[in-house]
């Protein structure tokens, strides 16, 4: 386990455990937990609290035939499908979101590429590939943004983020992350933007024109 | 602790008998560390779940069903499932408990917490018809070691959580319940819960470190 120093805050973990996180964010959280034992333990702790509520909450009697019906189904129940395993820098849940195929990168200019994995009206999640030294596309996000480093590192006003680190930015943070180190930075980013990074394209092209 | 006791502790009722005695299940469990001491200390839900996991015991499963089905139904209804569909959820969750039993590891999850997470995931999968991203599973079949001290330590942390929850004002408990039933968004869960989770996190972390150690030993062999 690497030294991961930026983790999933409790409120975010509680929302994940209870299933009330939009798909895009849930994917980033599940991927981080797959890389981080601190958050794997935190995840189980939140589930235990949910378990106490399940244990001590009011009961509702079930129909008399339900037990027999479920017992009869045990032998017929299919075994779980083999889970999708990690491949290279991509943990299992991310591989699943990528349909076990390599990312289909689309160039954004300045050597920066993206691969959109999932989008719906409230959230989207993508892979970003940023060559060392380049700035991560500026994206004045209106709401929650999660950035998980899979390879390389980036730095911004709030600190240094290496492999496994998760940056949680709310709408107030106006940050300008820059990829740092010897290898390109690859990260998984969930935002509440519906789909595109279009409005940051002009900004992205700036480095190109500067050459 | 017997399920009966868990039950009476949570509802104040003493009249429901536990259908399967610990003694009859004792023979079915292959765990070496299991001893007469463990009979008294490891809670029965864990013992039953291990019997399901290791021996595919339907008898043990039936006992878990009797304990959890009414709770799961109550939980589903409180989280907004129509009462006509609540038993479909119960059925689905209990079948998942049977099918995912190999993933249960008492060193880092208590039975209720483990079933809670399955229940939330299944409910989302059923109603949103999309599968929810879940973390990679760490279980490796060959590393199932029993570690009574760790298991009991975790169970004690869970009962400390239960005590902490029972000491809350009803309004606070209500808020926590809303959060874990999935009724509050991330931004609404400001101060998570007011329940300190630090000690249980470090206890589970210990269980994870032991599992990592076992996994390393296995790969070295
Ligand atoms: Zn973490």
């Amino acid at each position: 386990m690497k030294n991961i120093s930026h983790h999933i805050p409790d409120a975010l973990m509680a929302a994940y455990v209870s299933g009330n996180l939009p798909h895009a964010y849930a994917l980033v959280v599940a991927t981080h937990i797959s890389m981080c034992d601190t958050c794997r333990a935190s995840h189980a702790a939140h589930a235990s609290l949910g378990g106490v509520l399940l244990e001590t909450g009011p009961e509702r009697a079930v129909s008399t035939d339900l037990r027999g019906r479920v017992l009869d189904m045990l032998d017929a129940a299919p075994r779980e499908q083999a889970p999708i395993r990690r491949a290279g820098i991509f943990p299992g849940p991310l591989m699943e979101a990528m349909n076990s195929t390599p990312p289909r990168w689309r160039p954004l200019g300045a050597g920066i590429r993206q691969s959109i994995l999932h989008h719906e009206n409230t959230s989207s999640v993508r892979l970003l590939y940023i060559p060392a030294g380049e700035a991560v596309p500026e994206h004045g996000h209106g709401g929650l943004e999660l950035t998980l480093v899979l390879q390389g590192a980036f730095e911004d006003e709030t600190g240094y983020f290496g492999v496994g680190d998760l940056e949680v930015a709310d709408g107030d943070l106006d940050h300008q992350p820059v990829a740092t180190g010897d290898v390109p930075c690859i990260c998984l980013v969930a935002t509440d933007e519906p789909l595109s990074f279009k409005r940051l394209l002009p900004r992205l092209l700036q480095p190109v024109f500067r050459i | 602790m017997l399920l009966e006791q868990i039950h009476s502790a949570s509802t104040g009722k003493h009249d429901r008998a536990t259908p399967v005695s610990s003694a009859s299940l004792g023979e079915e469990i292959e765990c070496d560390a299991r001893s007469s001491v463990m009979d008294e200390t490891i809670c029965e839900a864990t013992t039953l779940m291990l019997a399901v996991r290791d021996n595919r015991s339907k008898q043990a499963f039936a006992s878990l069903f009797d304990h959890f089905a009414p709770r799961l139904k109550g939980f589903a209804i409180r989280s907004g499932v129509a009462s006509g569909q609540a038993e479909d959820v119960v059925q689905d969750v209990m079948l998942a408990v049977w099918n995912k039993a190999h993933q249960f590891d008492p060193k880092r999850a208590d039975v209720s917490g483990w079933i809670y997470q399955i229940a939330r995931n299944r409910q989302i999968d059923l109603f949103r018809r999309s599968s929810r991203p879940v973390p990679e599973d760490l279980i490796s079949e060959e590393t199932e070691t029993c570690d009574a001290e760790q298991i009991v330590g975790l169970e004690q942390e869970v009962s400390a959580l239960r005590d902490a929850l029972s000491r809350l004002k009803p309004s606070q408990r209500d808020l926590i319940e809303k959060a874990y039933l999935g009724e509050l968004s991330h931004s609404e869960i400001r101060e998570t819960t007011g329940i300190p989770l630090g000690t249980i996190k470090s206890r589970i972390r210990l269980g994870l470190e032991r599992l990592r150690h076992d996994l390393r030993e296995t790969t070295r062999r």
Side-chain angles (χ1 to χ4, degrees), chain A residues 4 6-8 32-33 36-40 164:
Chain A
I4 298 175
H6 300 273
H7 299 284
I8 300 166
H32 177 84
I33 295 171
C36 175
D37 277 357
T38 299
C39 289
R40 194 179 280 276

Side-chain angles (χ1 to χ4, degrees), chain A residues 17 39-49, chain B residues 108-110 113 200 204:
Chain A
V17 163
C39 289
R40 194 179 280 276
S42 166
H43 174 229
H46 282 271
S48 289
L49 186 47
Chain B
R108 52 203 181 91
D110 64 296
I200 189 168
I204 297 167

